[in-house]
Amino acid sequence: MSELAYLVKEYRDRPIPPYVPRKEIIRQLPEPERFNLVHIITGMRRSGKTFYLCQKMDELAKGGFPHERVFFFNFADDRLLPHPPSLISDVVEEYFLQVPEARELGAYLFLDEVQEGDDWEATCQRLAETEKVTLVITGSSSKLSSEQIATKFRGRSHSHEMLPLSFTEFARFHGTEPPRKEDAVSPKERTRLKGLFDRFLVEGGFPGVQNLVEEDRIEVLQSYVRDVVARDVSEYFGREDISLAHQFALYALRNTACELSVNGLVERMRALGYKIYWEKADRMLKALKEAFLFFELNEFTMSLKPNTTANPKDYAIDQGLVFAISRASQQDAGKRFETAVYIELRRRLAGSRTDALTSFTVPGDRKQKVDFLVGDSLGMESYELYQASVSIESPATRKREIESLEASMKATGLDHGTIVTLEDENRLEADAGCIDVVPAWKWFLS
């Protein structure tokens, strides 16, 4: 038996490791057949893509699908080095040789880190078209960007974004089953959930750092950023630009929930002694976005032509990552809180049309802003307005948040708005309609 045959047999015999269930991102996984869409799980490194594959395999096993016809393989296994050009084909062919009925009756193939194989896009597409399979793949975020997927798969794939843990998933990771919506929550339970959310705001949602002591968690999260820069971003620019790319990453993460200007970033980098021009800075930011380190939130517009003068807001992938890489003097709980709200809204809007999540500025001289305008419709009637504020106890903060939200309600014709806070809870009647003030633990679990 060849070395590759031993490896395939080893992966076939491996038991499914323990996992904490994640929210489904693949809503429907079809039975094996030719010309099935290739399901591609994208997301930042260490966000839980591999264990989600284990979850899907376990669901198939519990549903009675034969174990022999479900195959998982990790192409980042160092025992595969040096990689032959036909690596993916060789592995799948060896699997079919060992389990002939899988080729005849159909199989689920879960292929992890496929970018390690040469010409992996063409190979995966060929497998989906010529074999009776359901193919689910993950890989390096830089090589599975939306641009590359659209170009290589030509509409024959379905991408699913894997984000770090939601608060519900975070609670389960720490042994707490969140209450159902209809359940009454006791004062003791409410206090426990509030404390758990305070931890979520600091520790974040990357699965691999849960239950680590603070110092270790911070070091591991910092290593995630270095890993993304070294392995994903450097592919665009070469090893000599790693230091610059790392500074870009730190700047984008530390300035989460702020407007991001390429011109401002260029000035900042030049002040630090880096030689940088606008086009390169723009491409470097694009590479960081494709690596899922941060997202951009655009301003709402009804125009088909985007407003090129408005700078988008930058939101980090995870509030715990921001805490880990920010200096003590830069810690801003308000920005991390707003980031957590953005990521939760993004998670809830999976499958929505483009620009279902935007910011909103009231037309006029005052330029009053609402953090998030949420909607997926052709008219304004089904949209929602959200403000994110750690606290509105301060009279000045309360006045600013409510006035901006009410002005936005009047401008959009909506009669309801929401302010998500850490602890405040109330219902306010305003001239434009009703404003709900909701504590974070309750809103994130809703």
Side-chain angles (χ1 to χ4, degrees):
M1 187 180 285
S2 68
E3 181 68 23
L4 183 61
Y6 277 115
L7 276 177
V8 169
K9 183 67 166 62
E10 178 188 312
Y11 273 95
R12 284 178 49 218
D13 293 341
R14 283 184 181 180
I16 297 174
Y19 64 90
V20 176
R22 300 290 303 271
K23 179 184 176 181
E24 288 293 355
I25 58 173
I26 300 179
R27 289 172 285 277
Q28 184 179 15
L29 197 59
E31 292 186 0
E33 195 53 78
R34 287 182 61 201
F35 294 103
N36 276 339
L37 292 175
V38 178
H39 289 267
I40 304 174
I41 302 177
T42 64
M44 184 177 151
R45 294 177 184 272
R46 311 302 179 188
S47 56
K49 299 188 291 294
T50 299
F51 277 88
Y52 182 71
L53 297 185
C54 297
Q55 178 177 321
K56 300 309 290 182
M57 293 191 302
D58 193 38
E59 290 171 4
L60 290 170
K62 290 176 179 176
F65 195 85
H67 167 75
E68 285 296 299
R69 289 162 53 201
V70 178
F71 179 56
F72 168 86
F73 197 89
N74 182 1
F75 288 92
D77 194 315
D78 66 297
R79 292 172 294 179
L80 293 167
L81 295 172
H83 296 146
S86 56
L87 175 62
I88 297 175
S89 291
D90 292 347
V91 168
V92 174
E93 188 62 34
E94 177 59 37
Y95 166 66
F96 283 144
L97 286 174
Q98 294 185 20
V99 190
E101 63 269 27
R103 172 168 264 160
E104 179 184 352
L105 300 176
Y108 288 90
L109 304 181
F110 295 91
L111 307 183
D112 203 13
E113 301 293 346
V114 292
Q115 81 283 346
E116 298 296 340
D118 292 344
D119 206 16
W120 60 269
E121 306 97 324
T123 304
C124 289
Q125 187 163 314
R126 175 180 56 78
L127 288 170
E129 293 176 357
T130 61
E131 302 288 353
K132 193 174 182 179
V133 297
T134 297
L135 185 57
V136 184
I137 66 175
T138 76
S140 165
S141 52
S142 64
K143 293 186 177 179
L144 270 73
S145 67
S146 56
E147 219 172 74
Q148 287 223 24
I149 290 170
T151 302
K152 302 293 185 180
F153 284 92
R154 302 188 300 277
R156 301 205 177 181
S157 65
H158 187 176
S159 297
H160 310 271
E161 183 179 78
M162 174 65 74
L163 294 166
L165 301 175
S166 67
F167 180 52
T168 298
E169 294 165 334
F170 179 87
R172 291 193 177 118
F173 256 76
H174 293 277
T176 297
E177 185 59 33
R180 294 172 300 177
K181 188 175 182 181
E182 63 271 18
D183 291 343
V185 180
S186 68
K188 182 178 179 180
E189 180 74 1
R190 188 182 302 119
T191 300
R192 188 156 67 95
L193 289 169
K194 285 180 180 178
L196 199 61
F197 187 83
D198 288 343
R199 288 181 57 189
F200 180 61
L201 203 57
V202 170
E203 297 174 17
F206 279 98
V209 302
Q210 304 305 314
N211 298 313
L212 294 181
V213 298
E214 181 178 11
E215 294 83 0
D216 290 347
R217 185 187 72 250
I218 288 174
E219 288 176 354
V220 171
L221 287 172
Q222 289 173 348
S223 75
Y224 286 0
V225 178
R226 292 193 296 270
D227 190 40
V228 166
V229 170
R231 299 174 66 181
D232 291 337
V233 180
S234 64
E235 292 176 355
Y236 289 83
F237 302 98
R239 308 294 297 180
E240 66 276 4
D241 281 324
I242 285 182
S243 175
L244 176 61
H246 190 248
Q247 289 298 324
F248 267 58
L250 294 179
Y251 183 89
L253 293 173
R254 288 169 178 169
N255 287 277
T256 186
C258 297
E259 290 188 359
L260 186 64
S261 161
V262 178
N263 289 331
L265 186 51
V266 168
E267 292 178 8
R268 170 68 177 169
M269 293 301 117
R270 286 175 176 171
L272 293 175
Y274 291 97
K275 295 180 179 180
I276 183 72
Y277 49 89
W278 192 94
E279 290 78 7
K280 185 173 184 178
D282 188 55
R283 286 190 291 116
M284 197 164 279
L285 283 177
K286 180 181 178 183
L288 291 171
K289 284 189 292 180
E290 289 184 352
F292 289 88
L293 265 183
F294 75 96
F295 304 99
E296 285 185 349
L297 181 70
N298 294 315
E299 178 74 12
F300 175 81
T301 177
M302 294 291 286
S303 171
L304 294 177
K305 182 180 180 181
N307 183 0
T308 55
T309 63
N311 290 320
K313 292 186 78 173
D314 151 29
Y315 286 99
I317 181 68
D318 178 70
Q319 67 280 357
L321 195 64
V322 174
F323 182 87
I325 60 89
S326 295
R327 300 185 181 94
S329 60
Q330 293 177 315
Q331 292 295 344
D332 189 329
K335 299 300 183 186
R336 283 187 282 112
F337 182 71
E338 187 178 328
T339 297
V341 172
Y342 167 81
I343 295 296
E344 178 62 23
L345 288 171
R346 185 181 181 92
R347 179 181 290 108
R348 295 180 184 185
L349 288 166
S352 299
R353 284 185 284 267
T354 303
D355 287 338
L357 177 58
T358 60
S359 58
F360 183 78
T361 302
V362 179
D365 296 336
R366 296 184 65 185
K367 300 294 182 184
Q368 292 166 298
K369 291 180 177 290
V370 161
D371 294 323
F372 307 111
L373 175 64
V374 177
D376 184 17
S377 71
L378 299 179
M380 290 299 299
E381 65 277 358
S382 63
Y383 277 71
E384 298 175 341
L385 291 162
Y386 289 94
Q387 291 279 55
S389 180
V390 168
S391 172
I392 57 170
E393 288 187 0
S394 161
T397 302
R398 183 184 180 88
K399 182 174 184 293
R400 182 184 68 249
E401 299 289 352
I402 292 175
E403 284 187 354
S404 295
L405 189 53
E406 189 172 15
S408 298
M409 290 162 64
K410 290 177 179 178
T412 57
L414 299 173
D415 61 2
H416 181 264
T418 301
I419 303 176
V420 185
T421 71
L422 266 183
E423 298 187 8
D424 303 312
E425 185 168 13
N426 202 355
R427 170 162 282 196
L428 309 173
E429 296 297 335
D431 291 341
C434 175
I435 297 175
D436 280 323
V437 183
V438 186
W441 69 266
K442 179 181 286 187
W443 183 80
F444 275 80
L445 294 178
S446 64

